[in-house]
Every structure is written in structure tokens, then in C-alpha cells.
Amino acid sequence: MNHATRAAKFVGDADRTTWHDETLWFVRAKRDKAVYAVPEFQDLRELASQIKDHTLSKLDTYLEQFEEQAKRNGVHVHWAADAAEHNAIILDIIRKHNATRVVKSKSMLTEECHLNPHLLSNGIEVVDTDLGERIIQLRDEAPSHLVLPAIHLKKEDVGETFFQHLGTAKGEIDPQVLTEAARQHLRARFLAAEVAISGVNFAVAETGGVVVCTNEGNADLGVNLAHVHIAAMGIEKLIPRLSDLAVFTRLLARSATGQPVTTYTSHYTKPAAGKEMHIVIVDNGRTKQLGRPDFRASLKCIRCGACMNTCPVYRRSGGHSYDFTVPGPIGAILSPNIDMKKHSSLPFASTLCGSCSDVCPVKIDIHTQLYKWRQVLGEANEIPASKKWSMKLMGRLLTSPKVFGVSGKLARQGIKYLPYSLTHARHFNVWAVARELPTPPKQSFREWYQQQAKNPA
Amino acid sequence: MSSSREKILAAARANKPDEKPLPTVPDFGGDDSTERFTQVLTSIGGQVVWIDGPEQLQPVLKQLYPESRLSASPLFSGTVPVDALTSTEVLADVDLAVLPGEIGVAENGCIWLPEANMLHRALPTITQHLVLVLDHRRIVATMHQAYAQLPSTGGYGAFIAGPSKTADIEQSLVIGAHGARSLVVLLY
Amino acid sequence: MKVALFVPCYVDQFYPQVGIASLQLLEKLGVKAEFPAAQTCCGQPLANSGCEKDALPIYRHYVDTFSDYDYVVAPSGSCVYHVRKHFDKLEQTPEVQQVRTSAYDLIDFITTVLGVTEIPGTFPHRVGLHLSCHGQRGLHQANESEMTPVRDGQLRRLLGSLNGIELTELDRNDECCGFGGTFCVSEAAISARMGQDRVADHVRNGTTVLTGGDMSCLMHLEGIVRRRQLPMRVLHAAEILNGTLS
Ligand code: SF4
């Protein structure tokens, strides 16, 4: 199944699509308001972009510096080449402490590595503590957005899930009440947890510390109560200096939700006395992407989700239509690096309108990369053969002005003389399912021009 | 163990582009007024209350939290003694924590709270209600100026901007997700 | 000044009046543009489908056809954007560089090259402006809502100078219409929905004449307007400007 098929299914529910679109557009509008209020916002984007470019250009050095500092801080540093190794390392740490109760705050990396199923199948109870993540964990679904993981659900859906799993009243759909129920339910998990896993928003090479940004405070609560903290980070999370955080914290929340900053911007540098802190540094395809000059800029992503909120396709097709951990425009340029065949339709799930590139706080040229992935996929024969051949034919046609003139005329006359029932039949013409075809004129421009030239008015 | 480390570093070395410059980040200036700070913090669910000085703390707290039973603070002797070794069970019962903040940031209403001011790392999030006490002269305009004042971030520290919140259910804002249900900043 | 008119294939076949209006409008503004008969296409449909290699001969044909001109003007920002941005795939000979810098969207040409800021004339209608992404975000012909709340741009200003015109204000000033070239058929469901939402915004805000600088988006939107039999005319901006300029 490709993106178009899954998207068609989503958009088939017109009312839900309207709601999804408007809800995310509202987030985009909040982002705009926050962005307009900071006069230097465009300068900050440029700085962030340059800092990330610089870091990637010295990534090996910064990784080493980060590791050295972290070790000096008393942190255990692990390296994982891929998802399997990442999962194995984490399981190993948990086992060493004979722990079975684990809480986890938001981390797209652990999602990418499918850590939860791995831990669960090894007898470890792992509870996602971000409210949205907990909702989808209870429903056994994948997140549909980077920062709003349950945005595909309505409060009725959440109410039903909580009725089933948390014992809230049947039909209870008040977000306030549902959130309070989750607070009580999760508090018990926090208090009991032996190990806390967190993601990482930024890793500072200079200090060896990691920074985690949340609104709910779930990372802090989990990490600071548990005996062991495991922070999982992709190699691209690095930034050189502590002061660079100013640039990124000014951009992140404003871009993501329109808040001036996340409620908690927490800096974990050393373990608390008597406790343990581990950092797992993960590659899982990232160095490969670093080696693709056209696509390496995708590694600058700070996972703000702004490109999703603004994407007119994402808003109407839903996160699950991308069938990849990271949906939306950024997912569409990250996914082919992981599996070109499986995700071959994603770079085509865009009109190339460019809005994603314009909201991106680190100035990733997302829509240009979409265009470039299309070429890579075309070359690798990962686009439908019919498309490929019709394009080849068209290529020939369009280099021959004579044939071009005749065939255009044929097309035009075709529309004119074929019966409406045929030109508008679903199977023959997807255009016409929702749209009228243009009314064919008597004369093409070309014909008019030649006539004019012969008999000037 | 070390083989993945070597592999990743080698691949990063081999695949990285030519070195690009690290920019200098200017101090963009900005509004560092207490009015701006108050306005922004209020807009994100926090509350600002002026006090004459730290000695006025307790009467004001009594007024603000008449029902609070269990409080913890390094600024006065609260009802629950908390230190780095306090057990989870004891921490879980705290309903009011009163902690000294270090730096306030006017552009986003956040306050820097270092580990040294927390009694226990979990206290600021596990307490039901949080009060941060801040010298208004420590308010800066932006995050640039805030980080410029931080020589390091210690073992742990957080910028806290308002009470814990979530909008994960249909984007409707709910205050009081997992951390403190309310945040009051006492400015003096 | 030697100026050529580039007429995209679908305009040639389905909207000759847009080509005619462009030509006449330019003439009224003192520019006699030629229409080189050998022209075909800029190659964008192929390239956007992932077949850039197959498009290279088309690029070359375009270069051969147009490298002699000081300016190549098209009533379509999308083609212009493609020539400027994606002809980087060709070897950068002086001819290639020439066509990449000489390509202009019609409204951009009128505004920047001719320096025209006002068009005399009257158009007493409620006009809704569709900002095409390639013209706006690609060629920076209009402000972007991603950057600034100020709604400004070349076409808005030109149209705004007409007497009696009322420009409608949309809820979403610059959301994509969903045409997207082959996207309109490969993702037909999403494409249609995007178009319907755009049209609904215009209906809500009182547009009776829907216009823009790029006929490809307008073809898509017109298809929806006509299917829904809405009381709304869809015109390329050149038609409006040419009609009011006597
Ligand atoms: S690509 Fe840019 S806009 Fe999209 S999530 Fe990443 S940082 Fe945010």
C-alpha cells in the first residue's frame, strides 16, 4: 500500500479530516503568532542552521568530546550501531539492576528502534509517561505526529480507551477529567519505577550533558525518582556549546506549538549522588545519511513538528498515512534512507509547495530534498513502471515541436469529442472524480498566433 | 563494545562534509522588564506576586495557600524536611515546595532552578504546587543572556516556565499534567 | 529588449485566452513579445515525477529555443521557477545561464523589469487572489505567512491599483491549492480535498472572481468551482489586467 491509498482512506472521512486539518492549522497559527513576536526569529533560524551544519561537519570530533566530558561527569556512555544494539544495551542495563519497572518519557529514537516491544517481550514493564504516548500505548498504536503523538484521536476515542484501561466513567470525554485520571494512574508508575528512560533534545559537547524538553514534566519526574537514568540519543543531537542552547530553545517551542519555551528545559549532566546515568549514542543509518550530500541536511532536524503542522498534505492525510516513525515532510526525506522500496511513495506525497522549508527552524531544504529523492527513486526504478514509460514518451514528444503541436491538438479534441461519461469515468480519469475538465477551446494559442501573424488585425 | 564506537566514529569521519564555520551568536538585546516577564509568565499559566522581601515570605504563603499541609523549602523550615536522600514516599506527599530561583527570562517567563536550590531533584515536579522566589534584578531579556550567566549547569538544573501542562487530548490545554499543578513566582 | 513569450502546454491547448491576454498586456505596456513556435515545455512534469534524466533533452530544447532572448516571460511562475532552479542539472554554458536568469513570471516581469506599479482601469468585483506556491515561496513574488503577518506581493499591489476592485481577505492567505503537477492525479483524493478547501475559503470570504498568476493552479481550482457550479469566475490575472487596460 502506498501513501496515496492510505491517504485516500483518511480523507474519505470528510468531517474528521476537517477537524484534523483545522486542529493542526490552529497550531500552525499559534506558531506564526509566536514567531512574528520575535524580531530576530529569521536570524535565529540562520544561526541554528549554521550551528548544525558546523556540528555535522565535525561530528566525529564532537562525539568524542561529548563522550569524554560525559565520562568525566560520571556518566556511562554506550554506542549502538543500530536499533538492535540500542535495544540490547538498554535491556542489559535494566537487567543488571534486576529491574522490571521502567518509565519512559518521549523519545522518537526508542520508537524508531521499537524498544517497547523488545522490553515487553523480555518481561520488562515499560510505561510511556507522556500523556499522548500513554494514550497510544494503551491503544497499541504508533504515534501520528512528532510532538502531538495522539493528534489523530478525538476525545471520544481517548475517553473510550481510558474507560477500558484506567476505569474512568463510560462516556467521560472531558480532557480535564481524562488528564487527571492519567495523572493519578501514572503517578503510581513514577513512584514505583526503578529505571527511567528519556530521549534527548540536545547533547552539549562542551559539557557532556543532555537537555530534555517537555511540557508535562514527565521526564523530570521519572528520571529524578528512579535509581537509573538511561538517555537515548541519535548522533545528530549534538551541539557544540552550552550557549548554543539559547538559539535552539528560542526556536524549538515557538516552532512546535507557539509556546515561548517548553515548560521544562532540563539539563542532565551528572547522576545524582548514589544513582546512575547512562547515555546511549545511536547511529542506525545516520552516518549513512551524513554521506549523502543531497540529504545530509535532514540530520539537522530538531523534531519540532512544524513541518507537519504546516503541510497541507499531512493535515489531510494523517500521520499514519506515512507508515514511518517520523511522518510528514521530514519523515518523507528520512524514510527512503532507511528503506527505499518500502517508502518509495513518500517523497511523492507532496505538492512541493515549500511551506515546510519555510517553517523549519533549522532551515532544512525539505521540499528540495523531496524533489531530489524523487530523482533517486526514479533512477532506482522505484517508481511505477507505467509512470516511468509515459514520462519517457513525453520526453520524446516534448523535444519535437511538430509532434507536440499535433498531439496537443489531439488531446484537446479528444476531450471535446469523447462523451462526458467517458472522460469523467473514475477508472479512466482520476482528475474528473472531483473536478471538471477544462472546456476545450476552438483554437489553441499556437493556432491563434499563427493566424494572427498571417492576418494581423 | 568498543567496535560500534569505532565504527560510528569512522563512518562519521568518512562521511562528513568539509568543515563549515561555527557562527558567533550575538546578544540580541531585548526587553528585560519585570512587566514583560509578568505578562509572559501569566500567559503561560503562571502567576506573579510581589513581596517586599524574603522575610515577608511566610505570611504571603499563608495567604496564598491556606490549605497547604505539607511544605518543603530551603528558605524556612517547612513541615517536611527534604534533602537529596529523602524517600519517594515522603516526597510524594509534599503539596507545596518553595524554592529560590536564580534567573528569570522575560521573553518566555522561565526561571533557572539549579540542583543546589531544589533540596531533592524530584521536588520541583513531584510537589503539587510550586513557588519560586526571585530577585527581580535577576530578570534578563532572553535565553542568550540567561545562558551567558550560567558558568555551568551543575549536575542537574532546569528552566521552568509555568505549571506542568499538556494538550495531548484534542489540543485542549490542561494545566497539571504530571508535575506541579500551579506555579507562583514571588518577586522581590 | 528582445522578449519571448513562453506559453505552457496546457495554456496553449486549454486556455489560449491567457496566452493572448499576456501578449496583449505586454504590448500595451510597450513590449512586443515574440512567440517562438519551436517551444514545447520546461520539463517540469517529468522532473517532478522523478524522471529528471528524461527531461534533460527538453531542457536543452528550451535552451536552444530561448537563449537568444533578453527575457522569456511566462504566465506561470511554476515553469519559471523550474527553469531558474532546476536547470542546474545542465552544464552551465553561457546559454544555459542566460535562460536561467532571463526567465520571468509575467507579473514579476511587469513589476520588476518594467517597473510598473499601477494599472489604470476599473474592475468592480470582489476578487480573491490565489497565491501559487512556486511564484510566492519559490520566486518570492509575495510575502509568506511563514515569515510575516503582512500580506503583500506583486500581484496584490497591481490588482489593488485597479478602481473599484475589492480584494477579499482569506482565512488562510497562502495555503497550497493541491494541484502539484502529477500530484493532482497520483494523490487525487488529497489534491481534490485541498482544492475544495481553498475554494471554500474563497466562498466564505465573498470572492466572485478568483484569480492568480499561475494557470495550472487555476485550472485545478476552476475544475472544482465548475463541478460545484459555484457562482465564481476563474480568470488568470493577465486577463483582468489586459481587459482593464485599454
Ligand atoms: S524538519 Fe524542521 S520543521 Fe520538520 S520537525 Fe525537523 S526541525 Fe521541525
Side-chain angles (χ1 to χ4, degrees), chain A residues 146 255 298 300-308 326 329-330 333 356 359-364 366:
Chain A
L146 277 178
S255 300
S298 62
K300 292 153 73 176
C301 175
I302 57 172
R303 304 287 190 266
C304 73
C307 56
M308 286 153 217
V326 180
I330 178 67
I333 60 173
C356 47
V359 294
C360 179
V362 289
K363 294 181 98 167
I364 301 172
I366 307 171

Side-chain angles (χ1 to χ4, degrees), chain A residues 83-101:
Chain A
E85 194 175 3
H86 161 269
N87 293 347
I89 290 169
I90 292 181
L91 178 63
D92 194 50
I93 300 168
I94 297 170
R95 285 217 166 127
K96 275 211 181 97
H97 289 88
N98 286 319
T100 52
R101 294 183 305 267

Side-chain angles (χ1 to χ4, degrees), chain B residues 48-78:
Chain B
V48 173
V49 176
W50 278 89
I51 55 173
D52 291 337
E55 45 322 319
Q56 219 203 337
L57 211 53
Q58 273 169 303
V60 171
L61 289 170
K62 266 224 180 72
Q63 231 179 351
L64 287 170
Y65 302 93
E67 271 149 43
S68 145
R69 295 166 301 113
L70 302 172
S71 62
S73 176
L75 299 168
F76 55 88
S77 56

Side-chain angles (χ1 to χ4, degrees), chain C residues 86 93 168 215 239:
Chain C
H86 292 298
T93 60
T168 54
M215 203 56 224
E239 297 177 82

Side-chain angles (χ1 to χ4, degrees), chain A residues 44 47 51 204 206-207 239-250 267, chain B residues 22-26 143-151 153:
Chain A
L44 291 171
L47 285 166
I51 293 168
V204 184
E206 181 179 73
T207 66
I239 54 171
R241 306 163 294 202
L242 183 61
S243 61
D244 293 327
L245 283 169
V247 175
F248 290 99
T249 52
R250 296 190 75 192
H267 302 59
Chain B
L22 178 63
T24 335
V25 179
M143 293 303 278
H144 306 292
Q145 294 160 16
Y147 277 106
Q149 290 193 13
L150 291 180
T153 47

Side-chain angles (χ1 to χ4, degrees), chain B residues 85-100:
Chain B
L85 299 176
T86 303
S87 74
T88 300
E89 293 69 40
V90 174
L91 288 171
D93 284 335
V94 174
D95 44 28
L96 179 66
V98 183
L99 308 172

Side-chain angles (χ1 to χ4, degrees), chain C residues 110-132:
Chain C
I110 292 174
T111 311
T112 358
V113 180
L114 301 183
V116 172
T117 52
E118 282 178 23
I119 301 274
T122 303
F123 196 72
H125 299 282
R126 290 176 64 87
V127 176
L129 186 52
H130 176 66
L131 289 173
S132 290

Side-chain angles (χ1 to χ4, degrees), chain C residues 116-166:
Chain C
V116 172
T117 52
E118 282 178 23
I119 301 274
T122 303
F123 196 72
H125 299 282
R126 290 176 64 87
V127 176
L129 186 52
H130 176 66
L131 289 173
S132 290
C133 304
H134 283 166
Q136 183 203 19
R137 297 191 185 85
L139 300 172
H140 308 293
Q141 290 179 259
N143 285 358
E144 297 152 50
S145 62
E146 291 86 356
M147 313 279 176
T148 166
V150 181
R151 296 179 174 186
D152 188 22
Q154 297 172 344
L155 186 51
R156 178 178 274 264
R157 267 179 268 160
L158 279 186
L159 288 172
S161 72
L162 296 173
N163 282 326
I165 197 167
E166 195 187 329

